[in-house]
Amino acid sequence: MKAYNDLREWIAALDKAGELKRIGAEVDPVLEITEITDRVSKGAARKYGRPGGPALLFENVKGAAGVPVLINQFGSERRMQMALGVENLDEVAERIRELLNMKSPEGFLDKIKMLPKLAELGQFFPKTVKSGPCKEVIQKKDFSLLDFPVLQCWPQDAGRFITLPCVITRDPKTGKRNVGMYRMQIYDAASAGMHWQRQKVAAEHYRNTLRLGAVANGGAQPGAAVDIMARSGGGSMLAPGDRPSGTLEVAVAIGTDPAMTFSAIVPAPPDIEEFIVAGFLRQSSIELVKCETVDLEVPATAEIILEGYVKLDELRTEGPFGDHTGFYSLEDEYPVFHLTCITHRKDPIYATTIVGKPPMEDGWMGKAVERIFLPLMKLTLPEIVDVNLPVEGIFHNLMIVSIRKSYPGHARKVMNGIWALGQAMSTKCIVVVDEDVDVQNISDVVLKVFNHIDPERDIQFTLGPVDSLDHASRLPNFGSKMGVDATRKWPTEGFTRPWPDEILMDHKTKALVDKKWKDLGLE
Ligand SMILES: Cc1cc2nc3c(=O)[nH]c(=O)nc-3n(C[C@H](O)[C@H](O)[C@H](O)COP(=O)(O)O)c2cc1C
Ligand SMILES: [Mn+2]
């Protein structure tokens, strides 16, 4: 594939492909950009004649001192494919499948054949380089978050939010780095909310830092970790009376190449660095440079880098924020990011997105995750045939999954497996169907699911962690989930009534009518 070296190459490619619209008219980053972008992503830009509309580059943003705003860069299936350099997202899944299928070579010839594959593997790992364009301007003082055209997205938002940041942290235990996309609410020139939800990897880095600090201070109570986790909020880590004084260093990259940006939303297993995921997707190493004021590395070609830290003993109200659920996520307590340095290009471009009622840009990103993760889900649950997360189900509310059923209770085993699978833990409803149901076809799903269930028998409730954005659960972050076993029931599952066949016309009659069709005058 063609790896885009940075955001600019990507913008140029979008432009060339007719996938970008430059907007010279003055627009306000407060609400106005949202309203324009929302209309475009909901299909109001009819000129473009396709769902998602074009990517938008606002070149004249009020109060932005000439910094342009890029939005909707991933906002269509076509652009998602372009971002990952494929004609079809299943190609990425296929590459993952190949990687997972790699057999140990037997004999010399096998080993030789393997060499190109191994060379390819080498490209996945990040390279540290001396410097890069993200260091063109280095501000260790007199820096301000307010210098950038950060959006206020919706009327009831608590303020302006950085919505497309690649947030980089390091696990103090393993030394491994994580890149996650967690929104940041600007509080003032030098601080912002850090909205990593409690089940996310950076929140675990935060807890690990706290645990290590507690041990070092000789103050670790066995119960402390429980208290820490039990308190509400994305990062509330403190036991009563516990006053840890440590910090966790954080770096944030804004405006990276599209594979890097996308990797920050990929729910990779915690121990897999997203820099490697990005390298795999691009088939070319991500280049990293050392930060100025913290012990972290950041993508060298990023537009803007924020360096800083969060304190272990500080939480602040974050939100409300108009979220991808279509509702405002409520206020909650989250850690506070304190800036120590900003570095950026001479003429930075600010990349952002908006979320709200689907379909929007993040819907296309989520669909790409769905396709790419299928082979990884199959690694643990090989009976899975296909998965659909309908965009209106906002990823964690509804998962429809088809399986090759092989034994009694199989559908329930799959539900429980999904609830144990990383971020899929927070899936509110899982509907399991037989492999003859096309999960991508909602009409087929509704017809068959509701025909096939005896609700009391086939619905299973369970309790567990739920998404932080769930506003209906009995408690924040904890609630019930539902699994629907809509597979055909077997005698060995206690179902002894005859099961009817689906109505399908026989081939002979179909062929006959095909032949006559034109003469019937119905066209
Ligand atoms: C536009 C966008 C905004 C997001 N904002 C947040 C957020 O504020 N907090 C959060 O925990 N996850 C957010 N997510 C989801 C995470 O990026 C996603 O769960 C990711 O896998 C987290 O990375 P991690 O597994 O390394 O923690 C957002 C995703 C997208 C696409
Ligand atoms: Mn991660």
Side-chain angles (χ1 to χ4, degrees):
M1 84 168 260
K2 162 92 184 75
Y4 304 105
N5 198 35
D6 56 21
L7 190 72
R8 285 150 199 246
E9 276 188 18
W10 168 231
I11 290 174
L14 290 175
D15 215 353
K16 207 171 144 212
E19 290 283 340
L20 181 85
K21 174 78 183 134
R22 292 170 189 273
I23 294 173
E26 195 193 46
V27 292
D28 198 325
V30 176
L31 305 181
E32 194 181 340
I33 288 185
T34 299
E35 179 59 19
I36 297 166
T37 310
D38 190 30
R39 288 191 197 188
V40 166
S41 55
K42 300 255 187 325
R46 275 194 204 89
K47 182 177 151 194
Y48 290 83
R50 55 179 181 272
L56 303 174
L57 189 67
F58 292 99
E59 294 176 323
N60 184 6
V61 181
K62 218 163 141 183
V67 178
V69 171
L70 176 71
I71 196 164
N72 209 25
Q73 61 176 301
F74 297 109
S76 73
E77 185 176 19
R78 178 75 199 114
R79 285 202 294 288
M80 214 41 254
Q81 293 160 342
M82 283 176 71
L84 302 180
V86 292
E87 285 302 314
N88 187 321
L89 292 170
D90 290 331
E91 285 171 40
V92 184
E94 190 50 45
R95 282 185 55 225
I96 296 175
R97 225 170 286 133
E98 260 175 41
L99 190 69
L100 299 172
N101 271 340
M102 242 191 238
K103 283 201 233 72
S104 315
E106 284 169 25
F108 185 66
L109 216 63
D110 265 9
K111 278 187 190 147
I112 298 278
K113 275 195 209 146
M114 203 94 167
L115 287 177
K117 279 263 158 256
L118 292 178
E120 196 190 316
L121 281 180
Q123 301 173 346
F124 304 163
F125 296 99
K127 271 200 285 237
T128 304
V129 296
K130 281 234 140 53
S131 190
C134 74
K135 302 279 192 189
E136 283 170 6
V137 177
I138 298 175
Q139 296 171 289
K140 291 192 185 169
K141 52 181 189 195
D142 301 328
F143 45 69
S144 172
L145 290 172
L146 310 173
D147 288 347
F148 301 105
V150 179
L151 308 190
Q152 179 185 335
C153 302
W154 297 103
Q156 291 176 36
D157 283 4
R160 299 189 188 223
F161 287 79
I162 301 173
T163 52
L164 207 61
C166 299
V167 176
I168 301 155
T169 51
R170 192 191 300 279
D171 188 334
K173 279 192 190 152
T174 63
K176 284 196 182 158
R177 296 162 296 198
N178 188 70
V179 189
M181 186 160 291
Y182 319 114
R183 72 174 185 238
M184 298 167 68
Q185 177 184 344
I186 304 228
Y187 293 134
D188 54 43
S191 72
M194 190 45 93
H195 187 259
W196 50 55
Q197 294 158 9
R198 57 182 44 236
Q199 302 106 341
K200 303 298 170 74
V201 174
E204 182 65 5
H205 289 183
Y206 188 94
R207 288 189 289 266
N208 284 345
T209 310
L210 183 102
R211 287 180 185 119
L212 284 182
V215 172
N217 294 335
Q221 296 295 320
V226 179
D227 282 345
I228 285 161
M229 257 76 86
R231 293 229 338 231
S232 177
S236 182
M237 309 299 154
L238 303 177
D242 202 357
R243 282 269 154 264
S245 55
T247 58
L248 172 68
E249 292 184 333
V250 182
V252 179
I254 300 169
T256 51
D257 74 87
M260 184 66 247
T261 310
F262 176 73
S263 300
I265 75 146
V266 164
D271 273 348
I272 295 186
E273 292 196 345
E274 280 81 0
F275 293 133
I276 299 174
V277 176
F280 170 82
L281 291 172
R282 289 166 27 117
Q283 300 181 48
S284 154
S285 298
I286 291 283
E287 293 194 339
L288 300 175
V289 284
K290 289 204 171 308
C291 284
E292 302 295 314
T293 57
V294 293
D295 181 23
L296 287 166
E297 296 78 36
V298 289
T301 63
E303 296 291 323
I304 301 163
I305 301 291
L306 313 176
E307 302 180 10
Y309 60 89
V310 297
K311 294 184 199 165
L312 298 180
D313 64 348
E314 183 187 24
L315 297 169
R316 184 169 166 178
T317 302
E318 199 270 359
F321 175 73
D323 227 313
H324 79 276
T325 57
F327 292 85
Y328 286 94
S329 53
L330 304 173
E331 296 182 349
D332 202 350
E333 304 278 296
Y334 278 89
V336 181
F337 172 78
H338 295 277
L339 257 181
T340 52
C341 178
I342 293 182
T343 78
H344 62 82
R345 292 190 182 230
K346 270 197 249 79
D347 50 350
I349 300 168
Y350 178 73
T352 192
T353 188
I354 48 161
V355 294
K357 275 191 203 145
M360 273 194 171
E361 182 175 6
D362 65 311
W364 301 101
M365 300 169 89
K367 277 285 153 191
V369 169
E370 173 198 293
R371 288 298 94 197
I372 292 171
F373 263 72
L374 189 55
L376 296 169
M377 286 179 80
K378 286 185 183 179
L379 210 55
T380 317
L381 298 164
E383 57 274 74
I384 289 183
V385 176
D386 199 5
V387 168
N388 182 9
L389 297 148
V391 282
E392 296 79 5
I394 61 165
F395 310 115
H396 57 259
N397 281 347
L398 177 60
M399 182 187 292
I400 306 163
V401 47
S402 57
I403 64 163
R404 201 163 296 123
K405 180 165 167 175
S406 305
Y407 42 80
H410 202 158
R412 295 184 188 240
K413 177 261 193 179
V414 169
M415 294 167 198
N416 290 312
I418 291 167
W419 283 321
L421 217 57
Q423 286 182 37
M425 74 169 98
S426 42
T427 311
K428 182 139 70 170
C429 302
I430 300 175
V431 178
V432 186
V433 295
D434 283 313
E435 61 184 311
D436 65 315
V437 182
D438 176 6
V439 296
Q440 307 302 339
N441 178 346
I442 295 294
S443 308
D444 198 34
V445 169
V446 172
L447 183 81
K448 289 177 179 164
V449 165
F450 296 96
N451 263 313
H452 289 356
I453 56 168
D454 174 275
E456 195 196 28
R457 181 195 60 204
D458 294 331
I459 289 176
Q460 167 173 338
F461 294 108
T462 190
L463 286 171
V466 302
D467 198 281
S468 299
L469 302 186
D470 191 310
H471 55 244
S473 56
R474 64 203 64 197
L475 287 168
N477 303 298
F478 178 65
S480 69
K481 299 117 186 283
M482 179 174 85
V484 180
D485 174 1
T487 60
R488 173 179 172 169
K489 299 302 157 334
W490 292 4
T492 42
E493 293 173 318
F495 185 84
T496 50
R497 295 177 60 201
W499 187 272
D501 284 336
E502 191 177 341
I503 302 174
L504 294 168
M505 184 46 73
D506 64 78
H507 290 301
K508 209 176 126 205
T509 312
K510 277 185 167 244
L512 183 77
V513 172
D514 277 350
K515 234 194 262 161
K516 285 191 178 172
W517 188 250
K518 267 209 197 106
D519 305 331
L520 297 176
L522 290 166
E523 290 288 80

